[in-house]
Amino acid sequence: MSVIGIPYIEREINNDVTRLIVSNEHGNAELSINHEIRIKGHDKVKVLLNALVLRYLGTNGARKITVLLLRRGNRVYRVNDLPRMRSLPVGLIGLVILLIMIISIVITILRIMNVILSMHIIILMLLSPLIIPIIYSYILQLKIRWGNLRNSEIIKITLEYGEFDEQRFNEALRFLSRIENIKSLTEIRRFIMTLVNNPGTKPQAYNEEVISISSILDKLGVKKYGIYLINMDQCNAASIGLPGINYVILTSRLVSCLNSDELTAVIMHEVGHIVHGDSAKALFLISLSQLVNIALITYIIPLMSLPAIPILIGALFMELFMILLTMRFSEYSADKYAMKFIPGKDLAMALIKVTWKELHQELASKRSRVLSSHPSVSGRLIRIASIK
């Protein structure tokens, strides 16, 4: 037998631990499995074994086809019929940081030209990082309102194929491409059962699950936040928590990847961001940064005859670092909040399934994440495991 094309030796110790030893001219690695998984070794083989294990954890070692439906009253809608989005449209912080940089550059140019800003313009510049995101959030909520999960149920039909069952998997995909014109739930079920019973497209496993997000959140005591589903081929979630507007966004790919317990963990993580006011905190820091920049450019730099460009660039980098650091700590806080309601293993598995590719790159490259708004995946997993 072999792993990633390399011969390996498998042996049992005390009937509890299974060890997988892999070795060739590129290096060696050892995988130990009991109540936890440990990988040790060096060089390319360890990296490949890491990738193999993380891929298995992230995909459950299977290829899956998921059909997502929304049931609202007596009507059923396909999630693919919702407006398709290419990327998660919640770049609030990025939008505002960009706005700060643009405004700071404009102020610098005006100051060099000896243009004196009126108090009204300065106040407008200070308030813009707060006003623009709130307007943006309301517009976004209107755009995604058709995916409201508070008055809907998700019907999730999953067809599971083996890793090497490529022919039947591809045939099933071709067969399912004809489902577009079918609107009735009864007809969709009949259509899928035809696929399940066909030897050429038959999956290893078939499952239908009804997920009521409202019922799940009501049981957890979360009743006042909106939950929206968007049609997007990216495994992700986001939240907006600003004065008068609080909601969570889930992507269709996320719902496809996770089971109901893991999905609940992700939702509670996002609710944690709202409860802690993380969006509002970030916007406050950004507005404070804007105030500092205006004070530097308009008063302090001219008064002390300091070089404007280097000081402004240095200030912007320090402000950006502080904002990103605050956002990283908010991820840990949101994880801790979620674990008040759900077991840590559900949150950890959700994190692995969503980020297993990123986690592999992280373990393989050991790159610094100084300018990232999120902490390392491995760091979050360690903290989740340490919370009792």
Side-chain angles (χ1 to χ4, degrees):
M1 298 181 72
S2 66
V3 173
I4 48 180
I6 304 170
Y8 73 82
I9 303 167
E10 182 180 356
R11 62 186 180 190
E12 297 285 336
I13 298 180
N14 298 328
N15 296 320
D16 291 325
V17 181
T18 301
R19 279 199 175 91
L20 191 66
I21 301 171
V22 185
S23 181
N24 75 348
E25 67 274 11
H26 298 295
N28 61 76
E30 180 180 308
L31 171 67
S32 300
I33 306 171
N34 51 3
H35 63 284
E36 59 184 14
I37 296 174
R38 293 183 182 275
I39 300 174
K40 60 182 181 180
H42 64 278
D43 297 335
K44 187 178 179 181
V45 175
K46 183 183 178 184
V47 173
L48 291 172
L49 196 56
N50 260 324
L52 187 70
V53 172
L54 290 172
R55 185 171 183 269
Y56 182 84
L57 291 173
T59 62
N60 287 332
R63 296 185 178 194
K64 294 181 181 178
I65 300 173
T66 306
V67 178
L68 289 180
L69 307 169
L70 281 183
R71 180 161 59 194
R72 196 168 290 156
N74 294 324
R75 301 192 64 180
V76 174
Y77 307 86
R78 293 188 319 125
V79 171
N80 281 348
D81 293 333
L82 294 174
R84 190 164 185 81
M85 295 186 176
R86 293 183 180 272
S87 60
L88 204 59
V90 191
L92 277 177
I93 307 303
L95 174 71
V96 179
I97 289 173
L98 180 62
L99 185 66
I100 280 186
M101 292 183 176
I102 292 170
I103 291 174
S104 299
I105 292 168
V106 170
I107 295 171
T108 304
I109 293 170
L110 291 175
R111 187 63 191 174
I112 291 171
M113 296 171 63
N114 291 320
V115 176
I116 305 299
L117 298 176
S118 70
M119 186 57 66
H120 294 90
I121 294 176
I122 291 175
I123 291 172
L124 182 62
M125 287 178 171
L126 287 173
L127 292 178
S128 58
L130 297 175
I131 295 171
I132 291 176
I134 291 173
I135 295 171
Y136 175 81
S137 300
Y138 275 107
I139 293 171
L140 177 59
Q141 190 175 29
L142 288 173
K143 186 176 179 181
I144 62 175
R145 67 189 184 278
W146 298 110
N148 188 356
L149 296 178
R150 277 297 191 178
N151 56 2
S152 309
E153 289 180 327
I154 299 172
I155 300 174
K156 179 179 174 182
I157 301 172
T158 306
L159 306 168
E160 189 173 304
Y161 294 84
E163 274 289 307
F164 306 104
D165 207 357
E166 189 171 352
Q167 184 175 350
R168 280 195 292 178
F169 179 81
N170 291 332
E171 285 297 323
L173 283 176
R174 280 192 284 271
F175 188 85
L176 283 170
S177 65
R178 293 181 284 167
I179 204 173
E180 291 184 6
N181 298 322
I182 302 175
K183 301 296 181 183
S184 160
L185 179 58
T186 303
E187 290 179 2
I188 290 173
R189 283 173 172 155
R190 189 181 299 126
F191 182 85
I192 290 176
M193 289 311 298
T194 303
L195 179 151
V196 170
N197 294 322
N198 185 337
T201 55
K202 185 176 182 179
Q204 287 184 350
Y206 161 79
N207 182 56
E208 180 178 322
E209 183 181 11
V210 178
I211 304 172
S212 174
I213 299 295
S214 269
S215 299
I216 291 171
L217 296 184
D218 287 345
K219 287 178 184 177
L220 296 174
V222 180
K223 298 182 180 180
K224 57 183 177 180
Y225 305 125
I227 310 286
Y228 296 92
L229 179 67
I230 61 173
N231 179 19
M232 196 177 88
D233 191 26
Q234 182 182 337
C235 204
N236 211 340
S239 60
I240 291 185
L242 296 173
I245 182 165
N246 301 285
Y247 57 87
V248 173
I249 298 175
L250 309 174
T251 67
S252 54
R253 181 69 177 272
L254 181 80
V255 177
S256 298
C257 291
L258 307 182
N259 63 37
S260 58
D261 292 333
E262 294 159 354
L263 188 61
T264 303
V266 171
I267 292 171
M268 294 313 298
H269 170 90
E270 296 302 332
V271 168
H273 282 305
I274 297 174
V275 170
H276 296 151
D278 291 333
S279 297
K281 287 176 188 174
L283 293 183
F284 170 76
L285 286 174
I286 289 170
S287 294
L288 186 61
S289 301
Q290 185 76 307
L291 177 62
V292 170
N293 294 341
I294 291 173
L296 279 172
I297 296 165
T298 310
Y299 300 106
I300 298 172
I301 290 175
L303 185 65
M304 301 180 69
S305 300
L306 299 172
I309 302 298
I311 288 178
L312 182 61
I313 291 174
L316 285 172
F317 270 106
M318 284 187 65
E319 290 157 5
L320 179 62
F321 177 75
M322 290 304 297
I323 291 165
L324 294 177
L325 188 64
T326 302
M327 292 172 69
R328 282 192 221 169
F329 280 116
S330 73
E331 292 299 319
Y332 292 132
S333 299
D335 285 340
K336 191 172 182 179
Y337 177 84
M339 289 177 63
K340 293 178 182 178
F341 301 89
I342 49 91
K345 66 179 181 63
D346 292 331
L347 183 60
M349 280 310 304
L351 186 58
I352 290 171
K353 286 183 179 180
V354 170
T355 63
W356 68 269
K357 291 181 182 179
E358 180 186 341
L359 181 56
H360 168 57
Q361 292 172 354
E362 191 179 289
L363 295 174
S365 64
K366 305 288 185 183
R367 290 178 183 172
S368 173
R369 299 173 61 92
V370 174
L371 295 179
S372 173
S373 63
H374 282 60
S376 66
V377 179
S378 54
R380 286 179 66 186
L381 288 170
I382 290 168
R383 289 214 180 194
I384 290 169
S386 67
I387 297 172
K388 302 299 182 183

